[in-house]
Each structure stands twice: as structure tokens, then as C-alpha cells.
Amino acid sequence: MDDAETDAAEVDRTLDAVGPRLKQLRLGRDITLTHLGEATGISVSTLSRLEAGLRRPTLEQLLPLARVYGVTIDELVDAPRTGNPRINLRPIACKDGSTVLPLTRRPGGIQAYKFVLPAPAPGGDVEPVLRTHEGHDWIYVLNGTLRLVLGEHDLVLRPGEAAEFDTRTPHWFGVTGSGPVEFLSLIGKQGERAHVRAAPKRATREERT
């Protein structure tokens, strides 16, 4: 078995173990499936299938679940440790070929992630499927171009550009035909927004005198 097959097998084992983990978290917090569905925007039937291991979770499902349970995605799926052990990055490979790297490990508060979306297959334009859930999102593009469909707006974000929105607004993001894209995402609970604080302007010599 080569390295690629080994990595794929590890991802399969990780995803297969998510169901019992989700059920354990829900029961431990005394949350009903109905309440969880209302908090995440995921149907009760889908949540039940996820917990029973009859369906593998997608990234769009893991994000609101991690937020409700107050854990990071890597803690939610108990992903194997990889990368530099000093920063303990634990990338999670998704079924659509994308990769997410949780950059924070503390429960609660704003969570930071790095997303890497692969280039689309030739002629493989993806039809946006807009979703909603509780929370607030702030994204910043590092490389490539990111398509963001937000309500009635269809935007293309380039490196250095950012967007901030309430995730109760129907939204979807993905690659454009120009290639892969990397972006950062800060995700918080409802009403919890990311703020960028500029450094204070240094006074000139004339202003100090």
C-alpha cells in the first residue's frame, strides 16, 4: 500500500468514527436531535444518519456541529495528528477533495480555519448549493480566486480581499475556473464578529513638537 492509499485509508477510518463521537457529544450535553437540528440547520433525519454511521459528514455539516458543541473540527472528528508537532496542525481531508486545517484548538469563541479547495475538473463547473446556519463568518483569500454566492450577490474574491457575513444568509463558496484557492475563515457564534485593529499612527517629528 503506497502513501496515498495509506492516507485515504486513514481518512476513511477517521470519518467512520465520527458517528459515535457525535452521539456521545450530544448525549453528554443532554441535547435532543430536534434542538440540534434547530441550532445547526441540519435536518433531524440527517443528524440521525450521521450518528448511526449511515452517512459521512461533510464540511458544511461539521462546522455548525463543532460550533454548537464548543469544540474545534479536529476535536470533533478526532483526526490523526500530522504536520509540525510544535503547532499540532491536523488537516482534515474532505470527500470533495478539499482540505481544512483548524488553526485554533480552544473550545468556544471565534474559531480559525485554513481552507484549500482544489482546481475544478475540466468542464466540471459546480452548481452552487446555498446553505444557512447560525453564526457569523469572515473569510480572507490567500491565493487563487474564490467565488462567494451570498444571497442575491455572486462575488469573486481575489488574494487580499475579504468578506464578512451572517451565515443565516443563504451562502456558498467554491473555486472558479482559474484554479485552486486557499483562504482563511474565522467563524463565530451569532453576533460575534471579527474585528481588525489597526496599529496606531506614529507621530511625525513635526507633530511631536
Side-chain angles (χ1 to χ4, degrees):
M1 182 179 293
D2 58 26
D3 290 342
E5 291 175 332
T6 300
D7 291 343
E10 187 64 49
V11 169
D12 287 341
R13 286 193 293 270
T14 298
L15 292 176
D16 287 341
V18 171
R21 171 71 170 156
L22 292 175
K23 187 170 185 178
Q24 179 185 32
L25 284 168
R26 181 175 62 81
L27 295 179
R29 286 161 172 74
D30 195 25
I31 299 175
T32 66
L33 284 173
T34 299
H35 176 77
L36 185 60
E38 293 173 349
T40 60
I42 304 172
S43 70
V44 171
S45 60
T46 297
L47 291 170
S48 179
R49 289 174 63 83
L50 290 174
E51 290 188 355
L54 301 176
R55 178 171 177 173
R56 285 184 174 181
T58 65
L59 185 58
E60 287 283 343
Q61 294 164 341
L62 289 174
L63 287 172
L65 286 168
R67 182 168 49 254
V68 169
Y69 290 136
V71 299
T72 58
I73 289 184
D74 55 340
E75 292 171 326
L76 187 65
V77 302
D78 196 22
R81 299 189 178 192
T82 60
N84 187 333
R86 290 175 297 176
I87 34 184
N88 192 23
L89 293 180
R90 302 167 72 179
I92 301 170
C94 304
K95 293 173 63 178
D96 61 1
S98 61
T99 302
V100 57
L101 276 73
L103 302 179
T104 51
R105 294 184 293 275
R106 62 184 179 85
I110 293 179
Q111 302 294 338
Y113 303 93
K114 178 181 178 181
F115 291 85
V116 181
L117 309 183
D125 292 337
V126 179
E127 184 67 25
V129 178
L130 278 64
R131 302 180 184 277
T132 63
H133 54 83
E134 293 293 317
H136 203 90
D137 199 353
W138 182 92
I139 56 180
Y140 177 85
V141 179
L142 298 170
N143 295 295
T145 56
L146 178 72
R147 182 185 177 193
L148 171 64
V149 180
L150 181 63
E152 61 184 13
H153 303 288
D154 195 336
L155 310 171
V156 174
L157 303 179
R158 295 177 173 80
E161 294 186 322
E164 186 176 18
F165 56 92
D166 187 319
T167 55
R168 291 176 298 185
T169 303
H171 63 279
W172 173 92
F173 49 76
V175 296
T176 64
S178 62
V181 61
E182 300 179 37
F183 65 97
L184 300 176
S185 176
L186 300 180
I187 302 172
K189 63 184 180 181
Q190 208 65 51
E192 187 174 25
R193 305 178 62 181
H195 296 280
V196 179
R197 179 175 299 172
K201 178 183 176 182
R202 298 185 63 179
T204 64
R205 178 176 299 178
E206 290 77 9
E207 291 172 332
R208 290 195 298 266
T209 58

